[in-house]
Amino acid sequence: MFMRFFTELREAKVPVTLKEYLILMEAMDKQVISRSVDDFYYLSRAALVKDEKNIDRFDRVFAQVFNGLEKTAGEGLTADLPAEWLKKLSDKFLTEEEKAQIEAMGGFEKLMEALAEQMKRQQEEGDGDGDGKGKNGRNGQGDSPFGANGYHPEGVRVGQDKGRHGRAIKVWDKREYKNLDDSVELGTRNIKVALRRLRKWVRDGHPDELDMNGTIKGTSQKGYLDIQMRAERRNKISVLIFFDIGGSMDSHIKVCEELFSAARTEFKNMEFYYFHNCLYESVWKDNRRRHAEKLNTMDVLHKFPHDYKVIFVGDATMSPYEITYPGGSVEHWNEEAGAVWLDRVSGIFKHMVWLNPTAERHWDYTPSVGVIKQLVNDRMFPLTLDGLEKAMKELSR
């Protein structure tokens, strides 16, 4: 069983090594955990998963390999879930009426025995959808205590992705970290994880942190206590972000807000500006006053040192004329083509990437995406966890 677990993790592209597998087996041999699926889940995840982006894949493989391990019949269920423990749980969460209904069934011990019997019957007879839920499960119409999406007070949830009413006593097939995958669009937490790849640690400023190694070394050399201080280690990466706003970008507002929030947290030296479709001779800081308080793009480009990391965020979806011709902008008459301005940015700043919130599989259907991608020297990346990590790696070169 455990070898199958290891091989299926490898097949699912979770980078586990034989050494990590042997460490897990050693921990099991020395009984560092109790004999429960929950404890084994956390132990194996700690031993085999090295990156948060692989947790969701790990969860899916775990559920596939060990599906039903806790759904054993008869005594196994009552041994894992003793009636005394369930009685204490009922005292805390159930009403007096609901407790009476449970007692009418014969108590929690009978409930768990009935669950094992019904699951066994469903598996043998093919009752329901084959996932342990059953035709008369805890849905909105049936009154069985087993299944999903129902109201039964002493219900046991089987196969439901989330609780609807908070009444299930035992949650089966639980999955966590569903959004942590390198192929999904990002949330703020996931973006922070990816942005941390772009860091340059330095120590400067006022020495306000104890230098333990320096203190030990100085004390041993001088023969008396020589306390040494040092400056706190800080991330010195400086970032300049240009956000495309309006038009086709309206459908990507949420992910752009999440990216902005995460970047403000991760990068202390960050400046941002807005543009529409393509970069032209002016940008702005406040979208409510975009026409009244525009800033000269050339002044912005020469305001920041050349070591700033530049990030463009936009779907690059527009008419190709908006990029390649003077006067191509849909909002005003631009004296110079957008391609000229993008070329200036790449000439001033060595490190530049373009993040596209549109799924990469759609890029080939929009000619303007190909034009922008060429102008940024193929440094366009999808706004997914994997794409953002690749972009941060590019900026770190």
Side-chain angles (χ1 to χ4, degrees):
M1 179 187 297
F2 294 126
M3 181 54 71
R4 178 193 167 203
F5 183 37
F6 174 73
T7 56
E8 293 204 13
L9 284 172
R10 296 289 294 269
E11 291 176 2
K13 307 299 183 183
V14 179
V16 294
T17 65
L18 182 58
K19 181 179 180 180
E20 292 164 346
Y21 174 75
L22 293 175
I23 290 174
L24 175 61
M25 292 299 97
E26 182 181 1
M28 294 292 292
D29 184 58
K30 294 184 177 179
Q31 299 183 357
V32 300
I33 60 171
S34 61
R35 293 184 178 274
S36 75
V37 175
D38 285 346
D39 287 351
F40 176 71
Y41 166 77
Y42 288 111
L43 174 65
S44 59
R45 196 179 78 180
L48 303 177
V49 180
K50 300 181 288 293
D51 195 310
E52 286 179 296
K53 71 180 182 182
N54 295 315
I55 291 180
D56 183 61
R57 295 179 186 177
F58 174 87
D59 285 353
R60 284 179 286 184
V61 173
F62 189 94
Q64 179 181 343
V65 174
F66 299 103
N67 184 31
L69 191 59
E70 282 196 341
K71 302 175 190 174
T72 54
E75 294 181 359
L77 279 169
T78 55
D80 285 342
L81 295 172
E84 300 81 24
W85 180 84
L86 292 173
K87 183 67 169 61
K88 292 180 181 179
L89 189 66
S90 72
D91 292 340
K92 183 175 182 181
F93 292 107
L94 301 183
T95 65
E96 293 300 325
E97 181 182 355
E98 290 168 342
K99 294 176 187 177
Q101 292 178 2
I102 294 174
E103 291 300 325
M105 288 189 63
F108 281 106
E109 187 174 10
K110 294 294 183 181
L111 170 68
M112 302 310 292
E113 290 176 358
L115 168 63
E117 182 180 345
Q118 178 161 325
M119 290 188 67
K120 182 179 179 180
R121 179 182 61 80
Q122 288 176 184
Q123 292 175 356
E124 292 175 350
E125 300 178 4
D127 189 11
D129 298 327
D131 56 4
K133 297 179 184 178
K135 294 178 180 178
N136 295 319
R138 294 180 61 244
N139 50 47
Q141 299 177 353
D143 59 359
S144 168
F146 314 116
N149 303 317
Y151 298 86
H152 202 287
E154 66 273 28
V156 175
R157 170 154 31 109
V158 180
Q160 183 181 334
D161 61 345
K162 61 182 179 179
R164 296 174 65 239
H165 314 291
R167 293 176 178 266
I169 293 171
K170 178 67 179 176
V171 180
W172 303 89
D173 300 327
K174 183 180 181 181
R175 272 181 61 203
E176 297 177 335
Y177 297 96
K178 292 182 180 180
N179 293 327
L180 284 177
D181 195 320
D182 60 6
S183 61
V184 299
E185 291 187 357
L186 305 174
T188 303
R189 178 175 178 268
N190 305 342
I191 294 174
K192 289 181 179 180
V193 172
L195 292 181
R196 287 169 190 165
R197 313 289 183 186
L198 182 61
R199 285 186 171 183
K200 181 181 179 182
W201 296 108
V202 297
R203 296 187 182 276
D204 61 359
H206 184 71
D208 53 3
E209 179 181 279
L210 176 64
D211 182 358
M212 182 62 71
N213 292 334
T215 299
I216 295 173
K217 183 177 180 180
T219 300
S220 62
Q221 290 176 344
K222 298 178 181 178
Y224 57 86
L225 182 59
D226 181 27
I227 297 178
Q228 297 187 19
M229 305 295 289
R230 64 186 178 185
E232 181 183 357
R233 195 175 69 152
R234 293 181 174 88
N235 183 16
K236 290 296 291 183
I237 289 294
S238 300
V239 177
L240 177 60
I241 305 183
F242 293 94
F243 287 97
D244 183 5
I245 195 74
S248 58
M249 283 297 293
D250 286 347
S251 59
H252 304 297
I253 288 177
K254 182 177 183 294
V255 71
C256 288
E257 288 177 341
E258 291 170 345
L259 175 63
F260 179 78
S261 175
R264 287 295 292 265
T265 302
E266 292 300 317
F267 305 121
K268 302 305 179 184
N269 298 322
M270 191 197 85
E271 290 290 341
F272 68 95
Y273 297 91
Y274 297 106
F275 67 96
H276 180 59
N277 282 356
C278 191
L279 187 68
Y280 298 115
E281 68 278 358
S282 59
V283 292
W284 56 92
K285 296 279 288 185
D286 188 344
N287 285 304
R288 293 170 297 181
R289 302 182 60 81
R290 57 181 292 185
H291 298 292
E293 296 181 357
K294 289 187 175 181
L295 303 170
N296 187 285
T297 304
M298 188 65 76
D299 292 341
V300 171
L301 298 182
H302 288 94
K303 178 180 179 180
F304 304 100
H306 296 179
D307 62 349
Y308 264 66
K309 315 292 185 179
V310 177
I311 302 174
F312 283 91
V313 183
D315 60 5
T317 301
M318 67 199 89
S319 167
Y321 291 99
E322 295 183 59
I323 308 170
T324 57
Y325 282 85
S329 172
V330 295
E331 290 192 329
H332 71 291
W333 176 266
N334 52 298
E335 296 290 341
E336 295 179 296
V340 174
W341 285 101
L342 289 177
D343 187 61
R344 285 184 179 133
V345 175
S346 62
I348 295 173
F349 300 97
K350 179 181 178 181
H351 302 286
M352 179 181 73
V353 297
W354 188 293
L355 297 176
N356 193 330
T358 303
E360 190 172 6
R361 63 182 179 274
H362 300 309
W363 291 1
D364 292 339
Y365 300 104
T366 307
S368 59
V369 174
V371 176
I372 293 292
K373 188 177 179 182
Q374 183 177 0
L375 288 170
V376 297
N377 298 317
D378 288 327
R379 289 176 289 183
M380 179 180 287
F381 302 91
L383 197 47
T384 62
L385 183 57
D386 183 56
L388 192 50
E389 288 183 345
K390 290 178 179 177
M392 297 304 102
K393 184 178 179 180
E394 174 66 32
L395 291 176
S396 300
R397 291 184 178 180

